[in-house]
């Protein structure tokens, strides 16, 4: 049905099972069983069905759509937006209304539901009875609420969509729709003012604001890719229509205030605006066209009346349009968002109009995020403590190696067989299958590294291919027309990540090479340690037992005591590390977070739980590791004291044995095996660190690759749009050039036709005008008659027929005398004298 206002069409969708995806997610991600929420699962599907099928112009649909939207916002705090359902919706505007858009995104579903709510508000506004004051109030309220929902969609929902919005939900389209709804709401105010016979000045202000709203709607509509040309013509016509109405009412106000000249100026401008609106007559419906024609008739009649009255009676100057004061505006229409949409939590709960929130007993998704954040911080803190302790241990081992300990002491104390410490080291390596374990771990690390590098290279190639496509487009169209940002500028963060990740990989590759070098240096010795006792005995030479002098025995005992302290320090440190790891493993914060969540929900009902709300809890919880951090300082002080004693005891031991070289070969063999065992422990620790590093880096690189895919896709879509715009511009230019060439050819043909010389013939005699002889009326002094003509003082020339003797005594010029004539020359200072 034709109308002088517009409404928003509904968006259509297909039925999907949201409950199935939620059930699957609960069963895989939560500790609670999905059967606990059977009623809620059935309710969410029922609510969606009612919301997407309520596509009728009835106020009952408002509650269905708003209730489902409130539940979507609520469950958004408990589930991720990519819950696992592809929501399919058809656009409401544009050329692709039959091509559906699917996204695995709860926010996308919410955006479409809110759009349909705005559509329902607009259709209720159009369908109401606008011939009564109450009907106009109701329609205005519906249009204002439609504008409020569209604004909320534009400012709050779409920016948080985390994906590309549909083409008919871009900023320009939503801005156009919002201004259109406000224009129609303001038009209802204007209609009510006219109906209530308000003063012309007030009606003029209301109409001027209606014109402004329609103007803004048309401007944004022309910048949208989906708003139809029919709508743009409609909004343009309405803009000029209400500009004309505003000037007409202002002219009526001027008439009342006896400003007759300004009245005419405003009526003329009103006619101009109506004529501008009528230029859209081909594209607007008959009701809008009838309104325009009716206004034009009325304004034209008033203009004729005003001009006649002013010419005959008032004789007031008519100011130009540039001197007219700009009309004041009275904006009455404002975007109003219903409270149940802006604050959906207020509509849920015991006192809420939409009932209890669904899945209220399910632990919020933000709680799991908060728990993972705490786990990450705890692991980082614990690992930093362990790394510092192991760094102290490595420094102590380096000191022992530099002092050739304990090999020098073992060779002297046990000249035959194998020392017990060496036997225990060899047994440990055999049980762990040392060399095979290391090689297998190296292979695993290499596989992780290759996977990370392949994923990283894929992301880099995506960026390179996008940059190459952009360069080809620039070469094809030129930089003056292909004016978008370069790839490096558009994806500055991604290109920075390329260098950052490349630096990580190079640093890790250097670490891997150092680990390989360590294994190469001690690989043969580890093979001996992992072999049999016979292999060890063959590698370690035995010497004949000799008696130690008392001084050497005394210094050897002292050195053995210090070495025992070193062993006890290492053993105690290993136990502390294991204790710290066990403490971190037993540190389960889930129950504490659940208790804190319950407190937040009690104190702040229906507020969405965010991980940031647990920051204070995290800081307090991590204080339990303060003693472990202080332990590092104590360990460092104790190690420095033992290292000092070790150096002193070793110096005394070496001095006491000065000149004794009988154990040198055995010392060298034993020390090399001790060093190989230390290297083995370092290599195992390094490989574990490398495995963890590449696993953590894989998450970063995968996210980088996915972002590169999204970036290339967005740039391709943008390039397609730019190419389409350029092609359209070139087609228009070619058409204009073709028309110009055709016009030029036509003009050339006409010029050649008219340039041919016409045949010479006798010229036609001009007709002689004739006039019926009418005797002139008698001349009265001081009154000019057209038959007398215009007489200039002192101008020579033939005398008029009725004054053969000149005009010296002509009554039309009573002040003229022959003596005052100056030889046929006109005196400009005297002006022009009329009879």
């Amino acid at each position: 049905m034709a109308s002088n206002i517009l409404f928003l069409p509904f968006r259509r969708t297909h039925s999907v099972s949201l409950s199935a995806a939620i059930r699957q997610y609960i069963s895989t991600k939560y500790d609670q069983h999905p059967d606990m929420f059977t009623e809620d699962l059935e309710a969410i599907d029922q609510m969606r069905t009612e919301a997407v099928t309520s596509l009728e112009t009835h106020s009952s649909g408002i509650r269905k759509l708003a209730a489902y939207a409130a539940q979507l916002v609520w469950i958004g705090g408990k589930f991720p937006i990519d819950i696992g359902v592809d929501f399919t919706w058809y656009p409401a505007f544009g050329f692709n209304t039959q091509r559906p858009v699917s996204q695995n995104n709860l926010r996308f579903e919410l955006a479409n539901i809110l759009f349909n709510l705005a559509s329902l508000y607009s259709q209720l506004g159009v369908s109401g009875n606008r011939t009564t004051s109450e009907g106009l109030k109701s329609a205005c309220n519906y249009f204002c609420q439609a504008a409020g929902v569209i604004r909320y969609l534009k400012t709050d929902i779409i920016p948080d969509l985390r994906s590309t919005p549909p083409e008919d939900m871009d900023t320009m389209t939503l801005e156009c729709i919002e201004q259109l709804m406000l224009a129609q709401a303001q038009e209802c105010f204007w209609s009510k003012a006219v109906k209530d016979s308000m003063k012309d000045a007030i009606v003029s202000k209301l109409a001027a604001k209606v014109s402004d709203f329609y103007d803004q709607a048309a401007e944004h509509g022309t910048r949208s890719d989906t708003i139809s040309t029919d709508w743009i013509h409609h909004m343009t016509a309405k803009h000029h229509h209400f500009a004309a109405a505003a000037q007409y009412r202002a002219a009526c106000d001027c008439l009342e205030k006896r400003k007759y000249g300004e009245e005419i100026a405003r009526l003329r401008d009103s006619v101009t605006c109506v004529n501008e609106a009528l230029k859209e007559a081909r594209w607007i419906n008959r009701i809008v066209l009838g309104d325009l024609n009716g206004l034009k008739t009325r304004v034209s009649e008033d203009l004729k009346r005003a001009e006649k009255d002013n010419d005959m009676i008032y004789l007031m100057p008519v100011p130009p349009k540039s001197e007219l004061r700009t009309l004041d505006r009275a904006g009455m229409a404002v975007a109003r968002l219903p409270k149940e949409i802006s604050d959906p939590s207020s509509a849920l709960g015991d006192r809420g109009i939409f009932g209890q929130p669904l899945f209220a007993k399910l632990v919020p998704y933000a709680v799991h995020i908060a728990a993972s954040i705490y786990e990450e911080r705890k692991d980082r803190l614990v690992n930093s403590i362990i790394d510092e302790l192991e760094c102290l241990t490595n420094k102590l081992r380096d000191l022992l190696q530099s002092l050739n300990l304990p090999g020098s002491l073992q060779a002297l104390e046990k000249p035959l067989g194998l020392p017990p410490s060496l036997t225990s080291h060899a047994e440990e390596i055999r049980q762990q299958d040392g060399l095979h374990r290391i090689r297998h771990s190296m292979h695993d690390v290499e596989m992780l590294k290759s996977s990370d590098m392949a994923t990283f290279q894929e992301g880099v190639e995506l960026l390179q291919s996008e940059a190459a496509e952009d360069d080809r487009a620039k070469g094809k169209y030129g930089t003056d027309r292909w004016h978008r940002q370069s790839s490096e500028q558009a994806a500055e963060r991604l290109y920075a990540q390329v260098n950052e990740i490349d630096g990580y990989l190079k640093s890790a590759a250097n670490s891997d090479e150092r680990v390989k070098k360590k294994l190469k240096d001690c690989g043969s010795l580890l093979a001996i340690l992992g072999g049999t006792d016979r292999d060890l005995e063959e590698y370690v030479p035995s010497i004949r037992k000799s008696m130690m002098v008392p001084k050497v025995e005394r210094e050897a005992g002292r050195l053995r005591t210090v070495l025992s302290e070193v062993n006890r320090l290492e053993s105690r440190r290993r136990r502390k590390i294991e204790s710290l790891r066990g403490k971190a493993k037993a540190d389960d914060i889930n129950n504490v977070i659940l208790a804190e969540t319950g407190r937040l929900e009690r104190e702040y009902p229906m507020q969405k739980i965010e991980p940031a709300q647990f920051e204070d809890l995290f800081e307090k919880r991590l204080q339990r590791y303060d003693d472990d951090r202080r332990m590092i300082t104590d360990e460092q002080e104790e190690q420095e004291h033992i290292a000092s004693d070790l150096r002193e005891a070793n110096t005394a031991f070496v001095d006491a044995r000065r000149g004794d070289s009988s154990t040198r070969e055995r010392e060298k063999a034993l020390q090399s095996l001790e060093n190989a065992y230390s290297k083995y422990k370092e290599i195992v620790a390094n490989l574990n660190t490398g495995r963890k590093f590449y696993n953590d880096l894989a998450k970063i690189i995968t996210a980088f690759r996915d972002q590169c895919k999204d970036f290339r896709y967005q740039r391709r879509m943008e390039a397609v749009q730019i190419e389409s715009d350029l092609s359209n511009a070139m087609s228009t230019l070619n058409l204009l050039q073709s028309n110009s060439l055709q016009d030029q050819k036509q003009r050339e043909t006409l010029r050649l036709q008219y340039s041919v010389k016409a045949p010479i013939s006798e010229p036609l005699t001009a007709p002689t005008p004739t006039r019926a002889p009418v005797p002139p009326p008698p001349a009265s002094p001081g009154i000019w008659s057209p038959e007398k003509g215009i007489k200039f003082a002192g101008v020579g020339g033939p005398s008029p027929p009725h004054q053969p003797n000149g005009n010296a005594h002509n009554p039309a010029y009573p002040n003229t005398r022959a003596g005052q004539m100056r030889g046929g020359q006109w005196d400009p200072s005297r002006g022009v004298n009329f009879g």
Side-chain angles (χ1 to χ4, degrees):
M1 182 179 65
S3 174
N4 62 346
I5 55 178
L6 302 174
F7 64 86
L8 305 180
F10 285 118
R11 300 173 72 87
R12 296 177 295 107
T13 184
H14 297 309
S15 60
V16 296
S17 179
L18 181 56
S19 61
I22 295 178
R23 173 182 288 275
Q24 177 67 22
Y25 193 86
I26 292 175
S27 63
T28 56
K29 300 294 184 180
Y30 290 83
D31 296 332
Q32 297 162 281
H33 198 278
D35 289 344
M36 296 173 57
F37 309 98
T38 301
E39 294 182 359
D40 292 345
L41 291 170
E42 293 175 354
I44 192 66
D45 277 347
Q46 181 65 25
M47 294 183 72
R48 185 181 194 274
T49 301
E50 292 178 354
V52 302
T53 56
S54 60
L55 304 182
E56 297 178 358
T57 308
H58 194 276
S59 58
S60 62
I62 297 176
R63 178 183 176 86
K64 297 175 183 178
L65 289 166
Y68 181 52
Q71 293 291 354
L72 284 176
V73 174
W74 166 257
I75 67 176
K78 294 180 176 292
F79 302 104
I81 62 173
D82 51 342
I83 186 64
V85 179
D86 288 329
F87 298 102
T88 301
W89 287 88
Y90 289 85
F93 295 100
F95 300 100
N96 299 316
T97 55
Q98 301 303 318
R99 183 182 302 171
V101 178
S102 297
Q103 290 190 19
N104 175 18
N105 192 330
L106 283 173
R107 285 277 174 176
F108 176 70
E109 171 83 347
L110 176 61
N112 285 278
I113 292 297
L114 290 178
F115 187 94
N116 274 0
L117 180 60
S119 300
L120 180 56
Y121 279 133
S122 71
Q123 294 181 28
L124 288 171
V126 172
S127 63
N129 182 11
R130 299 192 307 280
T131 60
T132 64
S133 296
E134 291 301 321
L136 287 171
K137 286 182 180 179
S138 177
C140 177
N141 182 56
Y142 282 133
F143 287 132
C144 288
Q145 288 179 313
V149 173
I150 292 296
R151 176 177 294 182
Y152 177 69
L153 184 63
K154 178 187 65 178
T155 59
D156 290 67
I157 304 302
I158 297 299
D160 196 31
L161 197 59
R162 304 182 194 176
S163 62
T164 304
E167 61 180 3
D168 60 342
M169 283 191 186
D170 64 302
T171 302
M172 290 297 105
T173 302
L174 295 179
E175 188 69 33
C176 171
I177 295 173
E178 179 189 348
Q179 296 300 320
L180 174 62
M181 294 297 105
L182 291 175
Q184 296 182 162
Q186 181 79 10
E187 185 175 347
C188 291
F189 269 106
W190 172 84
S191 298
K192 188 175 185 303
V194 173
K195 187 175 185 64
D196 295 344
S197 301
M198 290 188 177
K199 292 183 178 180
D200 291 320
I202 296 176
V203 178
S204 173
K205 294 177 182 179
L206 293 172
K209 190 60 179 177
V210 176
S211 177
D212 290 345
F213 279 133
Y214 275 117
D215 182 35
Q216 294 174 18
E219 179 182 354
H220 289 101
T222 56
R223 297 164 63 184
S224 168
D225 294 332
T226 55
I227 297 297
S228 66
T229 55
D230 290 340
W231 275 37
I232 295 174
H233 289 304
H234 172 90
M235 293 181 289
T236 303
K238 298 280 276 191
H239 158 57
H240 294 301
H241 178 188
F242 279 94
Q247 290 289 13
Y248 173 70
R249 287 290 180 165
C252 294
D253 183 61
C254 290
L255 175 61
E256 183 180 349
K257 296 177 180 178
R258 300 182 180 181
K259 299 178 181 180
Y260 305 112
E262 183 178 345
E263 176 199 8
I264 295 173
R266 293 197 180 279
L267 287 173
R268 289 175 178 173
D269 188 57
S270 180
V271 171
T272 302
C273 292
V274 171
N275 291 332
E276 285 294 322
L278 288 173
K279 291 181 180 178
E280 312 291 335
R282 292 175 54 192
W283 299 279
I284 59 180
N285 64 50
R286 56 182 178 81
I287 297 180
V288 178
L289 184 59
D291 292 342
L292 285 172
N293 288 325
L295 178 61
K296 182 177 181 180
T297 301
R298 186 172 181 180
V299 174
S300 299
E301 291 175 353
D302 282 10
L303 178 59
K304 291 179 182 179
R305 185 265 311 156
E307 289 178 338
K308 180 178 179 181
D309 290 349
N310 192 58
D311 291 342
M312 298 292 295
I313 304 173
Y314 307 117
L315 302 176
M316 295 185 69
V318 179
K321 182 181 179 180
S322 58
E323 295 181 5
L324 291 177
R325 182 177 61 85
T326 303
L327 295 178
D328 294 331
R329 267 69 172 164
M332 303 300 293
V334 292
R336 289 198 299 271
L337 184 63
K339 184 175 178 57
E340 57 268 24
I341 301 301
S342 61
D343 185 17
S345 61
S346 64
L348 298 174
D350 295 333
R351 300 181 180 179
I353 60 176
F354 298 147
Q356 292 294 331
L358 302 179
F359 308 101
K361 296 181 180 180
L362 186 67
V363 178
Y365 180 71
V367 172
H368 293 267
I369 299 297
S372 64
I373 291 174
Y374 175 77
E375 290 294 327
E376 181 183 355
R377 293 184 185 178
K378 178 190 68 177
D379 292 344
R380 187 164 59 245
L381 174 61
V382 170
N383 289 333
S384 66
I385 296 173
I386 293 175
D387 289 343
E388 292 191 40
L389 292 176
E390 290 181 345
C391 182
L392 290 175
T393 302
N394 291 333
K395 289 181 179 179
L396 190 58
R397 288 174 179 171
D398 291 340
L399 176 61
L400 290 174
Q401 291 180 17
S402 66
L403 298 178
N404 202 23
L405 292 173
S408 59
L409 186 59
Q410 290 173 345
L412 181 63
E413 291 180 339
K414 192 172 180 58
L416 299 174
L418 300 175
S421 60
L422 181 61
T423 304
S424 65
H425 294 339
E427 183 64 24
E428 178 183 350
I429 292 177
R430 291 190 198 110
Q431 289 179 355
Q432 296 178 356
D433 196 7
L435 273 178
H436 178 73
R437 175 189 179 186
I438 288 177
R439 292 193 177 101
H440 183 71
S441 297
M442 281 187 168
H443 176 73
D444 291 344
V445 170
E446 194 64 30
M447 292 293 292
L448 290 173
K449 176 184 176 182
S450 300
S451 176
D452 287 354
M453 293 188 70
T455 305
F456 173 64
Q457 189 61 33
E458 182 182 354
V460 172
E461 290 175 356
L462 288 171
L463 291 179
Q464 291 174 348
S465 66
E466 190 283 323
E469 291 173 1
D470 190 58
D471 291 339
R472 285 195 296 270
K474 286 181 181 178
K476 179 179 179 180
Y477 296 102
T479 55
D480 56 336
R481 286 184 292 174
W482 197 264
H483 49 74
R484 69 172 180 173
Q485 286 183 321
S486 64
S487 301
E488 290 80 1
Q489 293 173 335
E492 183 178 356
R493 186 175 60 84
L494 289 178
Y495 277 89
Q497 266 191 299
V498 171
N499 297 328
E500 184 179 357
I501 295 175
D502 186 59
Y504 291 156
L505 290 172
K506 288 180 179 178
S507 176
N510 293 333
S511 299
D512 294 343
E513 291 300 323
R514 287 195 294 269
V515 173
K516 291 178 181 178
K517 187 176 184 305
K518 288 180 184 179
L519 179 60
K520 183 178 180 181
D521 293 342
C522 65
S524 58
L525 294 175
L526 290 179
I528 294 173
L529 284 171
T532 63
D533 288 343
R534 183 178 181 85
D535 296 333
L536 283 173
E537 291 172 354
E538 290 179 355
Y539 180 76
V540 179
S542 299
I543 60 174
R544 66 180 180 83
K545 189 172 182 180
S546 60
M547 296 296 296
M548 288 188 293
V549 298
K551 182 178 180 180
V552 172
E553 187 175 0
R554 184 175 63 253
E555 298 301 333
R558 179 186 173 189
L559 182 58
R560 170 57 61 189
T561 301
V562 178
L563 286 175
S564 297
E565 288 294 329
V566 171
N567 292 333
R568 282 194 293 272
L569 175 63
E570 289 187 4
S571 299
R572 187 170 63 249
R573 190 170 290 168
R574 282 195 298 269
R575 288 195 299 270
K576 287 182 178 180
I577 291 175
E578 292 300 322
S579 175
L580 180 59
R581 285 175 175 161
K583 178 181 177 181
K585 186 177 181 180
D587 184 11
D588 186 3
I589 199 176
N590 288 327
N591 292 332
V592 179
I593 289 183
L594 289 176
E596 180 68 10
T597 302
R599 183 188 68 82
L600 291 173
E601 290 180 343
R602 287 191 303 272
E603 295 183 3
Y604 308 99
M606 314 311 293
Q607 180 179 351
K608 184 179 179 180
I609 302 297
E610 297 288 349
Q613 295 172 295
F614 300 95
E615 286 295 329
D616 294 338
L617 175 64
F618 293 163
E619 292 182 6
K620 183 178 180 180
R621 184 81 173 184
L622 290 174
Q623 289 177 0
R624 60 173 55 193
Y625 297 98
D626 289 347
D627 293 339
D628 299 297
R629 282 185 285 190
R630 287 191 291 268
M631 175 187 65
I632 296 174
T633 304
D634 298 337
E635 289 286 324
Q636 188 174 3
E637 292 177 355
E638 184 178 3
Q639 179 166 315
E640 289 177 356
H641 177 71
I642 292 178
S644 177
D645 292 344
L646 184 63
R647 292 189 186 93
E648 184 179 348
N650 185 69
T651 301
F653 175 71
V654 172
D655 291 341
R657 295 188 62 235
R658 194 175 301 279
D660 183 10
S661 59
S662 59
T663 61
R664 184 169 301 170
E665 292 297 327
R666 184 174 175 81
E667 288 177 14
K668 183 177 179 182
L670 291 173
Q671 189 61 41
S672 62
L673 291 175
E674 284 289 338
N675 294 343
Y677 174 75
S678 298
K679 291 293 183 184
Y680 168 76
K681 303 295 285 185
E682 289 181 17
I683 291 171
V684 171
N686 292 338
L687 290 175
N688 290 334
T689 302
R691 184 184 294 106
K692 185 176 184 304
F693 168 79
Y694 282 118
N695 281 324
D696 294 341
L697 187 61
K699 300 176 183 177
I700 300 174
I701 293 179
T702 302
F704 164 76
R705 189 265 318 274
D706 294 341
Q707 291 172 3
C708 291
K709 284 183 178 179
D710 294 340
F711 171 71
R712 188 180 69 167
Y713 175 77
Q714 293 172 1
R715 293 277 284 185
R716 280 183 172 177
M717 294 300 100
E718 185 183 48
V720 169
Q721 183 61 44
I722 295 176
E723 288 182 343
S724 176
D725 294 342
L726 290 175
S727 298
N728 293 336
M730 291 298 296
S731 299
T732 303
L733 181 60
N734 292 335
L735 181 60
L736 291 175
Q737 289 178 347
S738 176
N739 293 338
S740 178
L741 289 173
Q742 292 178 2
D743 293 343
Q744 185 177 356
K745 290 180 179 179
Q746 291 177 359
R747 289 195 299 270
E748 184 67 20
T749 303
L750 292 174
R751 187 184 65 81
L752 293 175
Q753 290 176 356
Y754 287 103
S755 64
V756 179
K757 293 184 178 180
I760 300 175
S761 60
E762 292 294 330
L764 295 176
T765 304
T768 303
T770 60
R771 179 179 298 176
V774 178
S780 301
I783 300 178
W784 175 76
S785 176
E787 285 75 18
K788 295 180 179 181
I790 300 174
K791 312 300 181 184
F792 294 92
V795 180
S799 299
H802 58 279
Q803 285 290 344
N805 296 326
N807 62 350
H809 301 286
N810 190 342
Y813 300 93
N815 296 327
T816 303
R817 298 290 184 268
Q820 293 173 323
M821 297 180 184
R822 291 186 288 182
Q825 293 183 351
W826 170 63
D827 185 5
S829 64
R830 296 179 178 271
V832 180
N833 296 323
F834 295 91

